[in-house]
Amino acid sequence: MDTYRLDLERIIIGSCLVENGFDKVAGILSHRNFKHTTPFDHRAIFKAISAMYPTRPIDLLTVAHELKEA
């Protein structure tokens, strides 16, 4: 995977977790747009965020809990 795509995926995931950025990408991106799987599975993280939105708060702790439960 090229560094640019990896960095872009990190920025998007980070924005969703820290800045409530999911509002800006909901309906534009899906988990299928993410390819990076190691050491953190960006696809699984984005899928968890999508499943939580908008019924639960999205932050580091709630998403980590969602991933553990999956």
Side-chain angles (χ1 to χ4, degrees), residues 16-57:
C16 289
L17 293 173
V18 178
E19 301 172 7
N20 293 327
F22 190 75
D23 291 339
K24 295 178 178 117
V25 296
I28 298 171
L29 296 176
S30 81
H31 67 279
R32 291 180 187 92
N33 295 112
F34 293 84
K35 306 297 182 201
H36 190 66
T37 58
T38 57
F40 300 103
D41 189 342
H42 292 161
R43 183 177 281 196
I45 294 168
F46 196 83
K47 191 173 184 178
I49 292 169
S50 298
M52 296 170 61
Y53 181 81
T55 59
R56 291 181 279 170

